[in-house]
Amino acid sequence: MDATHAHDHGHDHHPSGLMRWIKTTNHKDIGTLYLWFALIMFFVAGSMAMMIRAELFEPGMQFMHPEFFNQLTTMHGLIMIFGVIMPAFTGFANWQVPLMIGAPDMAFPRMNNWSFWLLPVAAIFLIGEFFLPGGAVAGGWTMYPPLFIQGGMSYDLNIFAVHIMGASSIMGSINIITTILNMRAPGMTMMKMPMFVWTWLITAYLLIATMPVLAGAVTMLLTDRHFGTHFFNAAGGGDPVMFQHIFWFFGHPEVYILILPAFGIISQIIPTFARKPLFGYASMVYATGSIAILSFIVWGHHMFTVGMPAAGQLFFMYSTMLIAVPTGVKVFNWVATMWKGSMTFETPMLFAVAFVCLFTMGGFSGLVLAITPVDIQLQDTYYVVAHFHYVLVSGALFSIFAGAYYWLPKWTGHMYDEKLGKLHFWLSVISMNILFFPMHFLGLAGMPRRIPDYALQFTQFNQIASIGGFIFGASQLIFLIVVLKAVRGGAKATDKVWEGAEGLEWTLPSPAPYHTFETAPMVK
Amino acid sequence: METHQDRYYLAPPSHWPIVGSIALMLLAFGFVMDLNGMGNGKLVMLAGAGVLLFMLFGWFGTVIRESEAGKYNDQVDLSFRWSMSWFIFSEVMFFAAFFGALFYTRTISVPGLGSGETMLQLWPHYTATWPTAGPGLASKFTPMEAWGIPAINTLLLLTSGLTVTWAHWGLKKNNRTQLVLGLILTVALGMCFLGLQAYEYHEAYTKLGLTLGAGVYGATFFMLTGFHGFHVTVGTIMLIVILFRSMAGHFKPSHHFAFEAVSWYWHFVDVVWLLLFVVVYWL
């Protein structure tokens, strides 16, 4: 496949400068936009985390009002989830899915553009909230009533930001599903698809099944706020707990939306650097599907303390634990892939191995929390914070770093700086554990989350966590430097980039030409 | 050089998406301004709606021109089919949130308020029956009767499902009169439905005391039927568009995905109504 082929068809005449990015219908351009957007939002939401850790360095109030602290924790969560992790994965999907299945582009290039360009609107809304009277939303990213119903103007803006991000996700998912189902090259059967494509297909289904439910939930919040409905008000026969049920029907599949693409990325990287095919490919596919299906029947474990019949608690406890089975299948498969492989440890592999170890730890603390009587003790403590940061930072985020290092040479045509990459890895992995590991102890000792002040006995662990946090935050600037350096220049990358790399994307030149696979390749 | 039909059609760079983003930003921000009593909210919303209309005409116009120019091959056609199916599925899940709210209030929250400690501590005189405005509101209302306008509306929508299928048969036999007539009938039935629903809402507000604020019954009633009505409105507009396109000679017996998409959507709206009729009005 050569780049010049595209000239026959006239659709590569794209505008230059800013208009290229605004009007683009090219999956690679749009993938790049998603990834830069995610990186910028990463530093925005990350700086909020830095402020949180600064305030928590000592007991008592240091730098801010408690209301502002609550705004920071809320917006840190919302932006990290909807503005960083999800757009970054969508960026990977845009770049990689057509390359991996041998498609000329995404199925709906214009809608693809819209999916991206809705995100800056939502970002303006979310960040703009800080500048409105009363400041940003402060009731936690979960938006629970009655707090959410009592807030000011920024709460309305937040509702519409969620609507817009939901629309973006639904369109993006429809695009990805259609691309995967209908645009595969001849011979690329479903069970030959790279694992990353499979995980995104399943993620996209989770998105179109749950995002509309979230839209419904926040619409009810809006009407309760302004149009006199009583969905979440007991005086009118409603129930604030109902919001939690609807929200977590979305929210629990959402956490798998945040991790399944990560599983996909890791399943691409480990075979490459172990120089062995992925162990148990079919079982990986079925495990991913099982996790997705189970994710719809476990939402109650987020609500053990709000009141629920014992039968309900038992059901949600056991169904939650059941998810450990397919997840365990995946972890064992990754380990078995590495077993007796000729492994090398370039930066993507380092992040992937750290993912396997640390994500598994986050999974174990999740199992601890799944046990209802334990959860009743640990609900809303730092143990929960430790748990979900192990799965989201050393899980989702590390997989994004791994994927970025893995595919940067294919995207930019240049090798990244391996020394700086390794420095980024070691600083991140060490500081991440200094940051989050003590939170387990804090939670077990009873320190509540989302509170800007704490009792004296929690001071030491908080100081350790804060120091880890500052090192982690500073280390991410190294990543920015690595990316910028690779974009600007560096050693020329070969087509295959990695010795053990397999798959269609590695048959293309590096950087991948603007239009690829205009004539579908044959897959044997 | 191969012809266009052999290749999957890839759209050239387009400004319509960013126009759509600006439209939604104006609409949403204007709405927030209006809800919070800031002066020009309605004006901003109006501007947003204008830009949105401009975008819809432009974007769909482009798609229609591309389709009529024969740029969409069978593979593109199949993409449209997959995407419309999953779009409708996402709509189903949107309604599921509100149906879920209805089931939850009827089986959990209302009985919970009328029994045990909750009742004794909070509202000891509350008898939990459906329909209810809840224990704490003074609002008195008469619930909506199923076997009046709603039953007629059910008939109208079911009939419109038949007429749109009859129109589709006409299109497939290349009988353009049947196609146009079927669509006109469908649009008319859809409009009758909407007219009757408007009348029903008017009656509810003026005579029955049934409003959005009438507790959880009023909330679920108006949100479910309201969102359904909104979807019928959108469906009717879509039907009008393909009616005009049919009269302009668009669509071929073998190639008419836009028609099918609208009819799928119309049937979806129909099915949602049947569920609404049973669980909101009847039971």
Side-chain angles (χ1 to χ4, degrees):
Chain A
M1 186 62 229
D2 57 280
T4 53
H5 200 84
H7 291 286
D8 299 347
H9 303 289
H11 57 70
D12 63 331
H13 302 302
H14 53 81
S16 56
L18 184 64
M19 286 319 275
R20 166 185 171 184
W21 299 102
I22 289 178
K23 293 172 72 169
T24 184
T25 47
N26 179 287
H27 73 103
K28 299 182 185 80
D29 280 355
I30 295 170
T32 305
L33 284 170
Y34 266 110
L35 290 166
W36 277 111
F37 177 82
L39 191 60
I40 293 165
M41 287 297 124
F42 176 59
F43 285 108
V44 170
S47 52
M48 292 176 190
M50 292 300 105
M51 288 190 260
I52 292 169
R53 281 325 311 174
E55 177 57 51
L56 289 174
F57 193 76
E58 284 179 342
M61 299 311 297
Q62 264 67 241
F63 303 108
M64 56 189 78
H65 294 291
E67 303 82 42
F68 185 64
F69 181 89
N70 289 342
Q71 294 171 23
L72 286 179
T73 53
T74 304
M75 296 312 288
H76 167 75
L78 277 170
I79 296 180
M80 277 294 183
I81 291 168
F82 291 105
V84 180
I85 305 288
M86 290 169 67
F89 283 146
T90 317
F92 282 116
N94 260 292
W95 256 99
Q96 293 306 128
V97 167
L99 298 187
M100 286 175 150
I101 62 174
D105 205 296
M106 297 291 279
F108 302 106
R110 272 184 297 242
M111 187 168 78
N112 200 16
N113 174 306
W114 205 23
S115 302
F116 172 75
W117 278 107
L118 283 174
L119 288 181
V121 176
I124 291 169
F125 281 10
L126 288 177
I127 297 169
E129 286 176 20
F130 280 107
F131 305 100
L132 291 178
V137 164
W141 82 278
T142 51
M143 304 180 278
Y144 282 179
L147 264 183
F148 202 87
I149 288 171
Q150 294 154 359
M153 184 174 175
S154 58
Y155 289 70
D156 295 319
L157 213 54
N158 201 78
I159 288 170
F160 289 116
V162 169
H163 277 135
I164 288 172
M165 292 186 292
S168 156
S169 288
I170 291 167
M171 287 192 285
S173 302
I174 289 175
N175 218 336
I176 288 169
I177 290 173
T178 307
T179 305
I180 296 172
L181 293 182
N182 194 33
M183 308 273 289
R184 297 191 313 280
M188 176 62 80
T189 59
M190 294 294 275
M191 291 308 276
K192 274 188 200 161
M193 293 195 310
M195 211 43 223
F196 178 71
V197 180
W198 257 115
T199 53
W200 242 113
L201 178 66
I202 292 166
T203 304
Y205 277 117
L206 289 179
L207 277 165
I208 54 171
T210 58
M211 277 292 163
V213 177
L214 176 67
V218 295
T219 305
M220 288 181 229
L221 285 175
L222 185 75
T223 58
D224 265 21
R225 284 171 57 79
H226 292 291
F227 299 100
T229 58
H230 295 82
F231 284 109
F232 308 127
N233 183 346
D239 187 352
V241 175
M242 180 168 81
F243 178 84
Q244 301 185 20
H245 280 290
I246 303 173
F247 179 85
W248 286 112
F249 181 83
F250 146 80
H252 203 78
E254 167 70 17
V255 309
Y256 292 99
I257 290 162
L258 298 172
I259 204 65
L260 291 185
F263 291 169
I265 294 170
I266 299 304
S267 302
Q268 299 300 127
I269 290 173
I270 288 182
T272 298
F273 294 96
R275 292 164 180 79
K276 275 175 65 193
L278 183 67
F279 184 90
Y281 170 85
S283 68
M284 283 298 221
V285 172
Y286 296 130
T288 312
S290 314
I291 292 173
I293 291 164
L294 285 173
S295 74
F296 284 101
I297 56 162
V298 298
W299 78 89
H301 67 221
H302 295 273
M303 314 165 48
F304 281 144
T305 56
V306 299
M308 188 187 291
Q313 292 185 331
L314 280 173
F315 171 78
F316 286 121
M317 175 168 95
Y318 287 129
S319 59
T320 304
M321 290 175 165
L322 207 55
I323 293 191
V325 177
T327 313
V329 168
K330 287 182 160 293
V331 173
F332 284 120
N333 279 344
W334 289 321
V335 175
T337 307
M338 289 188 268
W339 182 257
K340 292 191 174 172
S342 4
M343 291 206 284
T344 50
F345 295 95
E346 288 85 348
T347 311
M349 184 61 165
L350 286 174
F351 272 108
V353 175
F355 172 96
V356 175
C357 302
L358 296 173
F359 171 79
T360 306
M361 270 192 52
F364 280 139
S365 57
L367 275 175
V368 172
L369 289 168
I371 305 165
T372 311
V374 177
D375 182 80
I376 288 168
Q377 299 296 312
L378 296 177
Q379 166 88 28
D380 258 333
T381 68
Y382 264 82
Y383 194 89
V384 179
V385 179
H387 156 67
F388 67 72
H389 281 95
Y390 264 86
V391 290
L392 287 177
V393 176
S394 53
L397 185 63
F398 274 22
S399 84
I400 289 167
F401 288 145
Y405 284 110
Y406 185 55
W407 284 307
L408 259 179
K410 180 55 68 187
W411 300 337
T412 63
H414 306 295
M415 292 306 285
Y416 60 87
D417 187 329
E418 186 66 44
K419 272 211 184 84
L420 280 182
K422 286 209 164 84
L423 182 70
H424 173 227
F425 167 76
W426 285 110
L427 280 173
S428 294
V429 77
I430 293 168
S431 59
M432 180 268 159
N433 280 288
I434 299 174
L435 166 57
F436 294 115
F437 202 75
M439 290 186 185
H440 291 107
F441 306 131
L442 285 171
L444 290 167
M447 179 171 163
R449 68 182 180 131
R450 292 174 174 168
I451 305 242
D453 191 4
Y454 51 82
L456 277 177
Q457 71 266 28
F458 299 132
T459 311
Q460 272 177 329
F461 280 137
N462 267 300
Q463 292 189 334
I464 295 170
S466 285
I467 290 167
F470 299 142
I471 302 173
F472 186 81
S475 318
Q476 303 322 310
L477 297 172
I478 302 172
F479 180 65
L480 182 64
I481 293 167
V482 175
V483 173
L484 287 175
K485 276 183 73 173
V487 171
R488 294 168 68 104
K492 187 88 189 67
T494 59
D495 291 0
K496 207 175 174 197
V497 182
W498 310 109
E499 186 192 44
E502 301 279 348
L504 285 176
E505 79 256 47
W506 308 109
T507 64
L508 296 165
S510 300
Y514 199 63
H515 293 290
T516 40
F517 296 131
E518 289 211 297
T519 309
M522 284 299 289
V523 181
K524 280 176 228 53
Chain B
M1 185 177 148
E2 292 150 289
T3 60
H4 271 300
Q5 284 85 346
D6 293 336
R7 288 181 179 280
Y8 194 93
Y9 177 73
L10 296 177
S14 168
H15 58 278
W16 294 119
I18 194 77
V19 174
S21 290
I22 292 166
L24 290 190
M25 184 160 90
L26 291 174
L27 261 178
F29 196 70
F31 197 18
V32 171
M33 286 169 73
D34 189 47
L35 288 174
N36 290 278
M38 290 165 75
N40 295 323
K42 287 205 170 64
L43 225 62
V44 178
M45 275 180 85
L46 204 67
V51 179
L52 188 67
L53 273 179
F54 171 65
M55 179 278 252
L56 289 172
F57 270 97
W59 194 332
F60 279 108
T62 308
V63 173
I64 290 167
R65 274 191 298 279
E66 287 170 355
S67 174
E68 289 301 306
K71 288 184 175 174
Y72 297 160
N73 64 10
D74 289 347
Q75 196 186 5
V76 178
D77 197 63
L78 190 58
S79 281
F80 284 138
R81 283 163 200 280
W82 277 121
S83 59
M84 190 67 193
S85 319
W86 292 113
F87 168 67
I88 288 176
F89 174 71
S90 77
E91 291 271 47
V92 169
M93 292 310 291
F94 180 74
F95 275 99
F98 291 93
F99 278 112
L102 177 65
F103 291 130
Y104 184 92
T105 46
R106 286 186 68 166
T107 57
I108 296 177
S109 74
V110 169
L113 287 166
S115 65
E117 280 300 302
T118 314
M119 182 184 76
L120 294 176
Q121 298 286 333
L122 295 174
W123 291 286
H125 305 296
Y126 179 57
T127 38
T129 51
W130 190 264
T132 180
L137 299 185
S139 143
K140 288 272 171 291
F141 68 90
T142 319
M144 192 56 72
E145 176 59 41
W147 300 107
I149 290 174
I152 298 169
N153 267 346
T154 310
L155 266 178
L156 289 179
L157 269 196
L158 284 177
T159 316
S160 75
L162 291 179
T163 53
V164 80
T165 305
W166 187 63
H168 193 197
W169 289 349
L171 175 51
K172 285 210 273 200
K173 289 183 298 194
N174 213 10
N175 182 344
R176 305 296 290 195
T177 326
Q178 185 180 334
L179 165 66
V180 171
L181 193 63
L183 281 175
I184 289 173
L185 281 173
T186 315
V187 169
L189 287 164
M191 284 179 166
C192 288
F193 175 93
L194 287 172
L196 282 176
Q197 194 174 18
Y199 176 74
E200 177 190 270
Y201 275 20
H202 180 74
E203 290 288 294
Y205 263 79
T206 52
K207 302 229 172 79
L208 303 178
L210 176 56
T211 66
L212 258 180
V216 79
Y217 177 83
T220 48
F221 174 83
F222 280 106
M223 292 298 274
L224 274 164
T225 57
F227 270 118
H228 177 264
F230 172 70
H231 281 75
V232 175
T233 312
V234 172
T236 308
I237 293 170
M238 285 166 29
L239 282 168
I240 292 171
V241 172
I242 58 164
L243 170 62
F244 285 145
R245 286 187 65 189
S246 301
M247 296 199 296
H250 290 195
F251 306 129
K252 292 194 247 348
S254 59
H255 194 86
H256 50 261
F257 174 69
F259 181 98
E260 285 180 76
V262 174
S263 91
W264 291 354
Y265 191 81
W266 194 250
H267 289 307
F268 149 72
V269 168
D270 204 351
V271 171
V272 172
W273 174 260
L274 287 180
L275 205 58
L276 273 179
F277 180 71
V278 175
V279 301
V280 176
Y281 290 99
W282 187 10
L283 296 181

